Amino acid sequence: ETGKILFVDYTDLKNLKITEVEGERFLHDGGFDSSKRYFLVAANQRGKIAVVDTKEDKLTAMVETGGQTPHPGRGANFVHPVYGPVWATSHLGDETIALIGTDPEGHPDQAWKIVDTFLGLGGGALFIKTHPNSTHLYVDATLNPDAETSGSVAVFDIAAMGGDPEVDPEYTTLPIAEWAGITDGQPRVVQPEFNKEGTEVWFSVWNAKDKESAIVVVDDKTLELKQVIKDPRLITPTGKFNVLNTKDDVY
């Protein structure tokens, strides 16, 4: 939160070595690139992503996203048809989605730069997600004031993404809250999370504590509803994490 990043070398537990790296205020969500070497973390109030090299324990880049209040969750890694490996973030303050090149060896001209920005459903996004076995990129809009927007999710076809910055990729809107059959309150869809095989995406339908909430499971291949899970114990469900994906930093 202070803008400082600490690398703790625990090779010798009795004599820990700590390297402090200057980042930017105020650091919040972040995740690794697909190589698991670089950690990208949002300085959301400054509109920047700090990129740190976990092999050399140093700041690699400070990237301005061009959007308002980047909020990536752990971000999303995928291979763009034009720009190669990228890491994506959505934004709390506007509807933009920014892609940062993450391949300094194979695509040095795009490394640690914004290679593309395009529009999603709307501002208020908290999580963006994909999976190595998926061809889809999911973006929520949880905190958007519009009920229909906050109850839906945008799905982009990665293979159809082009290289023209003037042309935004199209997306499919999934009415997750409607599928959950919840009409009372303003149920907000949050945090797409894949199963370990990358064949299902689980969404939290987050409602007020005294109203009905749910978990909605979608088939990633067909983008069709697979299951709605409801239970009195589901009270404002938010983050939910597949253990394997979390352990292995699969996002």
Side-chain angles (χ1 to χ4, degrees):
E1 297 292 346
T2 62
K4 305 289 186 178
I5 301 165
L6 303 181
F7 291 96
V8 181
D9 181 349
Y10 55 85
T11 305
D12 182 354
L13 290 175
K14 294 185 181 297
N15 299 281
L16 295 175
K17 295 179 181 179
I18 301 176
T19 302
E20 181 178 289
V21 176
E22 181 78 21
E24 181 61 279
R25 295 179 294 174
F26 294 97
L27 297 174
H28 188 49
D29 282 0
F32 282 92
D33 78 308
S34 57
S35 74
K36 313 295 173 67
R37 173 172 175 172
Y38 299 94
F39 186 74
L40 296 90
V41 57
N44 48 35
Q45 292 302 314
R46 299 296 176 89
K48 298 178 181 179
I49 300 291
V51 183
V52 291
D53 185 339
T54 65
K55 183 177 181 179
E56 298 189 6
D57 295 358
K58 66 180 184 180
L59 181 71
T60 297
M62 190 70 68
V63 184
E64 292 194 20
T65 67
Q68 184 177 345
T69 318
H71 196 289
R74 290 172 291 178
N77 289 301
F78 61 92
V79 178
H80 191 281
V82 176
Y83 303 115
V86 298
W87 180 89
T89 183
S90 50
H91 292 82
L92 265 172
D94 62 35
E95 65 271 40
T96 61
I97 296 154
L99 307 184
I100 298 174
T102 60
D103 184 15
E105 294 185 5
H107 297 78
D109 292 341
Q110 283 85 40
W112 318 128
K113 299 176 183 177
I114 298 295
V115 297
D116 198 10
T117 299
F118 49 87
L119 302 180
L121 278 176
L126 292 181
F127 291 93
I128 185 168
K129 190 63 65 75
T130 188
H131 187 279
N133 294 336
S134 172
T135 61
H136 294 129
L137 177 68
Y138 295 82
V139 189
D140 63 27
T142 311
L143 298 184
N144 195 283
D146 178 70
E148 183 177 354
T149 302
S150 67
S152 301
V153 65
V155 188
F156 293 87
D157 181 355
I158 293 172
M161 292 181 177
D164 186 347
E166 301 300 320
V167 179
D168 284 355
E170 296 181 356
Y171 59 84
T172 300
T173 302
L174 303 184
I176 303 296
E178 179 183 318
W179 286 351
I182 299 174
T183 57
D184 191 18
Q186 184 177 347
R188 298 174 181 271
V189 176
V190 64
Q191 208 242 351
E193 178 72 359
F194 278 85
N195 62 345
K196 65 179 181 179
E197 295 84 7
T199 58
E200 297 175 351
V201 191
W202 292 47
F203 299 90
S204 295
V205 183
W206 163 24
N207 211 346
K209 67 178 182 179
D210 59 343
K211 299 186 185 303
E212 187 178 43
S213 292
I215 301 291
V216 172
V217 184
V218 173
D219 187 304
D220 176 63
K221 190 175 184 64
T222 64
L223 300 183
E224 294 178 350
L225 175 63
K226 194 168 185 179
Q227 186 74 38
V228 175
I229 302 170
K230 293 182 178 180
D231 191 285
R233 292 169 292 182
L234 282 174
I235 302 172
T236 60
T238 51
K240 62 214 162 302
F241 300 92
N242 177 275
V243 174
L244 180 72
N245 293 345
T246 301
K247 178 176 69 71
D248 292 343
D249 291 302
V250 177
Y251 33 80

